Amino acid sequence: MSNSYGKLFKITTFGESHGAAVGVIVDGCPAGLEISVDEIQHALDRRRPGQSDITTPRKEEDRVTILSGIFEGKTTGTPIALVVNNKDQHSHDYSHIEHAFRPSHADYTYTAKYGARDYRGGGRSSARETVARVAAGALAAKLLQHYGISVQSYVSQVGSIKLRKPYQELDLSQIDSNKVRCPDGATAARMIGLIEEARDTLDTIGGVVSCVIQGVPVGLGEPVFDKLHAELGKAMLSINAVKGFEYGSGFEGVKMRGSEHNDEFYTDEEGNVRTRTNNSGGIQGGISNGQDIYFNVAFKPVATILQPQTTINDAGEEITLKGKGRHDPCVLPRAVPIVDAMAALVIADFLLRQRVNKV
């Protein structure tokens, strides 16, 4: 089982949903980066459960402890160990699925692959693992900030309710101004209403998180197998419940002619090479071109629903199963900081790789 990501800025996560703790080892973070526990905690607070009535009521504080690699507020260049203890566990909520395969969960595939599984919340397959990614992502984001690079994600669609404005017309400082994390108040209100409707009918709903990365220098990414957009896609598709990834013009680009889609080059007043449009999404030939990188990530409806469903148990017998416990009716508000984290980790890794790529 691969639990690591990155080549130079490398993370290894550990822990299970109902184990003692989850955590991460970050190796390769340069020395001298100023980072406080409060900055890491802020990222975790955006992901933690119990934030509002449209997220799971589970009350995990998700307090992070720094075990190594940071001294007097600065990274030392040695491995950074971060751990978050699990506290509000209701493992008994999962006793009814000890032998059952929940629809659209990893229960069957984990059992088939390993011959065993931790049925308490899904164990390693649980989205609880993303706590570690968000903690590591806070370090990556601080490194990017040092180089003038920002990563901002927001909810752009819930079910059929879609934010129609492009990111250039949005005030991204308003992302956290509402509980669904959509930077447009009117659209956010409609999204919240739809999530509440799904919750009240014991159902769930999916949607889309959009991400914008600004300030990326030209040259990040590799030309063949480690294309920048391929790594971003891999990182996003590794997040629980993600079903799709598109960058730049994405699937809408197929409706255009080449004469419309091509991004023409020009030189601005400062002598920088720019493009008049950005259908490429800031990446050409797998390498960043200095324009904004933007992409969309599709999340399916949360698989655990509080309605009866037909499935089978590990003996192959047909059974009726009904979800229990505390679950999100929509994962999107808490997925925003996870998308932020994975995007920051990808860019941080490529940033360090580019520094050793030429004299």
Side-chain angles (χ1 to χ4, degrees), residues 225-334:
F225 296 112
D226 284 0
K227 289 180 168 65
L228 181 52
H229 60 271
E231 284 299 309
L232 284 168
K234 176 183 177 181
M236 298 306 140
L237 289 164
S238 75
I239 300 171
N240 308 64
V242 170
K243 302 296 285 184
F245 170 83
E246 64 172 355
Y247 77 102
S249 61
F251 289 102
E252 288 298 310
V254 305
K255 302 175 184 178
M256 304 168 70
R257 302 291 180 92
S259 55
E260 299 173 280
H261 193 272
N262 287 346
D263 297 319
E264 296 181 353
F265 290 104
Y266 73 98
T267 304
D268 66 18
E269 295 178 356
E270 286 76 37
N272 301 308
V273 176
R274 309 286 294 174
T275 59
R276 299 189 187 281
T277 54
N278 189 19
N279 292 312
S280 299
I283 304 170
Q284 293 171 324
I287 300 170
S288 61
N289 67 2
Q291 309 303 302
D292 292 348
I293 295 172
Y294 62 97
F295 57 84
N296 297 318
V297 186
F299 286 81
K300 70 176 183 178
V302 174
T304 298
I305 63 173
L306 304 183
Q307 299 179 16
Q309 298 180 92
T310 301
T311 187
I312 63 171
N313 60 23
D314 53 16
E317 302 165 331
E318 185 173 296
I319 61 173
T320 298
L321 186 68
K322 182 180 179 181
K324 296 180 180 179
R326 303 157 296 171
H327 304 281
D328 292 276
C330 180
V331 74
L332 294 169
R334 296 175 60 216

Side-chain angles (χ1 to χ4, degrees), residues 156-169:
S156 59
Q157 185 171 347
V158 173
S160 61
I161 298 175
K162 186 174 183 179
L163 179 57
R164 300 294 175 180
K165 298 177 183 177
Y167 74 88
Q168 297 93 333
E169 296 179 14

Side-chain angles (χ1 to χ4, degrees), residues 52-327:
S52 73
D53 58 355
I54 60 170
T55 64
T56 171
R58 180 172 173 169
K59 297 294 184 183
E60 288 281 8
E61 293 182 355
D62 285 350
R63 303 304 300 180
V64 65
T65 300
I66 300 172
L67 301 181
S68 66
I70 298 175
F71 179 65
E72 294 184 339
K74 292 183 179 180
T75 56
T76 62
T78 59
I80 300 168
L82 306 172
V83 67
V84 173
N85 291 323
N86 292 329
K87 292 184 177 181
D88 188 21
Q89 300 160 305
H90 288 186
S91 297
H92 60 272
D93 285 344
Y94 298 91
S95 58
H96 68 298
I97 63 163
E98 180 178 357
H99 299 288
F101 295 144
R102 294 170 295 171
S104 290
H105 282 78
D107 300 338
Y108 168 68
T109 51
Y110 263 57
T111 301
K113 182 176 179 64
Y114 299 108
R117 66 182 172 92
D118 183 347
Y119 62 85
R120 302 166 305 166
R124 190 73 176 141
S125 69
S126 169
R128 182 77 184 146
E129 180 269 341
T130 60
V131 170
R133 305 186 193 204
V134 172
L139 289 165
K142 192 60 186 289
L143 178 64
L144 298 186
Q145 181 183 331
H146 178 76
Y147 289 95
I149 302 170
S150 67
V151 179
Q152 293 175 288
S153 303
Y154 58 93
V155 174
S156 59
Q157 185 171 347
V158 173
S160 61
I161 298 175
K162 186 174 183 179
L163 179 57
R164 300 294 175 180
K165 298 177 183 177
Y167 74 88
Q168 297 93 333
E169 296 179 14
L170 299 170
D171 181 358
L172 298 184
S173 69
Q174 296 300 303
I175 290 172
D176 286 321
S177 65
N178 56 71
K179 58 189 176 183
V180 77
R181 293 201 165 101
C182 172
D184 180 82
T187 306
R190 294 172 58 215
M191 290 176 172
I192 292 168
L194 188 57
I195 295 172
E196 290 174 340
E197 178 186 333
R199 178 200 62 200
D200 294 343
T201 56
L202 307 181
D203 216 333
T204 62
I205 195 162
V208 176
V209 172
S210 297
C211 181
V212 182
I213 311 175
Q214 297 178 301
V216 179
V218 181
L220 301 194
E222 302 298 330
V224 185
F225 296 112
D226 284 0
K227 289 180 168 65
L228 181 52
H229 60 271
E231 284 299 309
L232 284 168
K234 176 183 177 181
M236 298 306 140
L237 289 164
S238 75
I239 300 171
N240 308 64
V242 170
K243 302 296 285 184
F245 170 83
E246 64 172 355
Y247 77 102
S249 61
F251 289 102
E252 288 298 310
V254 305
K255 302 175 184 178
M256 304 168 70
R257 302 291 180 92
S259 55
E260 299 173 280
H261 193 272
N262 287 346
D263 297 319
E264 296 181 353
F265 290 104
Y266 73 98
T267 304
D268 66 18
E269 295 178 356
E270 286 76 37
N272 301 308
V273 176
R274 309 286 294 174
T275 59
R276 299 189 187 281
T277 54
N278 189 19
N279 292 312
S280 299
I283 304 170
Q284 293 171 324
I287 300 170
S288 61
N289 67 2
Q291 309 303 302
D292 292 348
I293 295 172
Y294 62 97
F295 57 84
N296 297 318
V297 186
F299 286 81
K300 70 176 183 178
V302 174
T304 298
I305 63 173
L306 304 183
Q307 299 179 16
Q309 298 180 92
T310 301
T311 187
I312 63 171
N313 60 23
D314 53 16
E317 302 165 331
E318 185 173 296
I319 61 173
T320 298
L321 186 68
K322 182 180 179 181
K324 296 180 180 179
R326 303 157 296 171
H327 304 281

